[in-house]
Amino acid sequence: MCGIIGAIAKNNVVPVLLQGLQRLEYRGYDSAGLATIDNNKLQRIRSIGRVADLARQSSTACGYIGIAHTRWATHGEPSERNAHPHLSGNLIAVVHNGIIENYEELRMQLTTQGFLFTSDTDSEVIAHLIHSHYSRGNSLLAATQTAIGQLTGAYAIGVMAADNSNQIICARKGSPLLLGLGTDGHYIASDLSALLPITNNILYLQDGDVAEVSLSGYQIFDANGNTVERAVNICKLHSSKAELGEYRHYMQKEIHEQPQALINTLEGVCNSQALVPGIFGADAARIFPQIEKILILACGTSHHAGMVARYWLEEIAGISCTVEIASEYRYRVSVPDPGSLVLTISQSGETADTLAALNHAKDLGHTHTLSICNVPESALTRLSGLHFLTHAGPEIGVASTKAFTTQLAALFILTLILAKQRGGLDSKEEYNYLHALRHLPTAVDSVLKLAPDIARIAERFSDKRHALFLGRGLHYPIALEGALKLKEISYIHAEAYPAGELKHGPLALVDKEMPVIAVAPNDTLLAKLKSNLQEVRARGGELYVFADAGTRFHSGDGLHLIQMPEHAGYLSPILHTIALQLLAYYVALQKGTDVDKPRNLAKSVTVE
Ligand code: F6R
């Protein structure tokens, strides 16, 4: 998704802008641009290619103030003319993340006033709108405040005026924006990672905030125009955490970071002798006993985590659970149930559909809300009454890996705490589960050691165009997640089915060209799964079986076996996921795709 960085500093800001854009690349983009003010003149450079192309074009650019942007096309094709910053009359420059819903109406009004549009974007209206107010004698701040009052939709914006090289005005509603306070300058960015090498002093703007940023300081105004203070956070992340190191891709690095990500996420639990609700927030001990049901809302991979959790919550905690895709829930007429805990799951905490679904649930009268999220201070954590932070660290690869497994760990802890409160967990079981959680990072490490075996199997997929993933019970969502990973990064069409559904339709697809990947834990459904796999072999389908110890699968005769190191009981989905992440990664290497930035995808989906 689009990314913003802006700077006003004592030195030429172009290197900082370019470095910031590079650090935003992981979000996915199709064009990039920057604008600076030099001698009261706006200088703009835009490129349809990569940030590296923009850097080459910007070698002589200079200025002590500037704004820059990576664009992920929504309105208008990826092209130089649609790239940001957008200018109005060589006076106003604007970068924008989000979507302006009433842009057509505004465009008509502004065209009537004589403004000339040079792009197909919704964002360009913002530049002209601010220009129209600025040229009536308003300050840049007042012009921006009036303009955003006319916008419907979501935005994070950075604004400069050619005749005012002392200020950047920025504003947010529905899209994240933060200020970075450095010793040599002040910065704006849509994402913390853009600022990490520059400063650790971060201030998160809240919805409706407008900020006036200069070299000497900043001032923040809320939606009513009143001056407000926002806390400055000392961010503990270091930029080195986001470097590639020995790895070829961020996705590979993030897959291998999972033992540590799990250790960090489980720290508060594994270091204690008992499970306590307080890790979900101070009010959790009061709220959890009132919960009758759970409603999980999420998108994509995070939705798959919710699907796994449903099995755990119903089976271990005995609590009824529904899992719904956020973009469906938000527009569906549903029957509210105030006794439910609304649980949202998100890596970024900025996914537009998940945020809207949570707001919708609240509007329907749900008062108990909990989010599981990887980004502190994200919109989702602020919107939720209770929250749990997974400590996966920054996830740069577009395809989610360590965020998913740490979400699962968090959801398992939630399950155990609810089970305990409802009398469904005795102290011996609690001890055993805590023991299993402490062992989890070691078990994950053993799965990672399968990488060379999985890489060899992946070679067999280099000419494949389709794949079918099968799983049963708790591992059906893992089959879905495996298929999602494969299609995202290798562009192989992949589908997932509960294995029992095979004969109700998908078996028709099976022939020798169709690789069938089976998730085969050593659980109570093993015998059933084996019968399903016989159905595949009988039709000439080629099987790739990820089987736990003791499952008695043997390689040969159309069956390729990946022997998993152990069976992790209820935590088995975490181990099997990691094996499937590796499969997708190595198949993508075979296919030569852009692993970290798959085509058409973005890291945080901050628009609908
Ligand atoms: C898949 C993937 C996406 C995200 C989805 C939700 O690999 O990354 O499906 O899971 O866009 O994003 P978050 O978790 O940030 O809400």
Side-chain angles (χ1 to χ4, degrees), residues 21 26 53 56 85 140 180 259 274 291 486 497-498 515 519 592 605 607-608:
L21 291 184
Y26 78 95
D53 299 318
R56 270 189 289 281
L140 189 58
I291 301 304
L486 188 72
Y497 274 91
V519 185
V605 187
V607 292
E608 198 179 339

Side-chain angles (χ1 to χ4, degrees), residues 100-301:
I100 303 306
E101 289 169 23
N102 58 338
Y103 82 100
E104 280 169 327
E105 175 193 323
L106 291 170
R107 193 175 168 123
M108 262 168 10
Q109 286 168 18
L110 289 158
T111 307
T112 318
Q113 285 176 39
F115 286 100
L116 185 68
F117 280 80
T118 57
S119 80
D120 310 315
T121 66
D122 54 337
S123 310
E124 194 182 353
V125 296
I126 306 173
H128 295 311
L129 205 50
I130 294 173
H131 189 174
S132 76
H133 297 300
Y134 192 55
S135 57
R136 283 181 210 138
N138 293 298
S139 67
L140 189 58
L141 172 70
T144 306
Q145 283 170 316
T146 313
I148 59 178
Q150 293 171 265
L151 303 178
T152 309
Y155 54 80
I157 56 171
V159 185
M160 299 189 308
D163 59 356
N164 180 356
S165 55
N166 301 322
Q167 279 184 342
I168 295 178
I169 306 295
C170 61
R172 70 155 284 188
K173 188 176 148 230
S175 287
L177 197 66
L178 44 95
L179 306 189
L181 313 175
T183 43
D184 290 334
H186 289 138
Y187 307 88
I188 67 167
S190 55
D191 185 319
L192 181 62
S193 60
L195 296 183
L196 279 181
I198 311 166
T199 178
N200 283 345
N201 295 332
I202 302 295
L203 186 153
Y204 293 90
L205 293 181
Q206 293 187 11
D207 246 17
D209 282 356
V210 181
E212 188 178 48
V213 185
S214 65
L215 189 56
S216 54
Y218 61 89
Q219 211 169 2
I220 303 175
F221 305 87
D222 66 12
N224 300 318
N226 300 318
T227 317
V228 281
E229 299 284 332
R230 302 287 179 221
V232 177
N233 299 267
I234 312 297
C235 169
K236 294 197 193 84
L237 290 175
H238 292 289
S239 59
S240 60
K241 280 243 169 94
E243 303 301 348
L244 258 184
E246 68 192 90
Y247 298 100
R248 204 168 144 190
H249 296 102
Y250 283 107
M251 182 182 180
Q252 183 193 22
K253 176 174 181 253
E254 286 155 11
I255 290 173
H256 285 269
E257 278 173 349
Q258 288 176 104
Q260 191 57 47
L262 287 163
I263 291 171
N264 296 346
T265 301
L266 294 168
E267 201 180 17
V269 178
C270 289
N271 291 345
S272 70
Q273 290 313 308
L275 294 156
V276 285
I279 52 171
F280 289 93
D283 269 351
R286 180 181 60 79
I287 291 169
F288 283 176
Q290 301 172 34
I291 301 304
E292 288 154 18
K293 285 183 189 164
I294 296 194
L295 168 63
I296 298 181
L297 303 171
C299 303
T301 287

Side-chain angles (χ1 to χ4, degrees), residues 299-302 346-348 351 398-400 407 484-485 488 605:
C299 303
T301 287
S302 298
S346 171
Q347 188 286 128
S348 60
T351 301
V398 164
S400 190
Q407 284 167 353
L484 178 62
K485 288 289 95 95
E488 269 183 302
V605 187

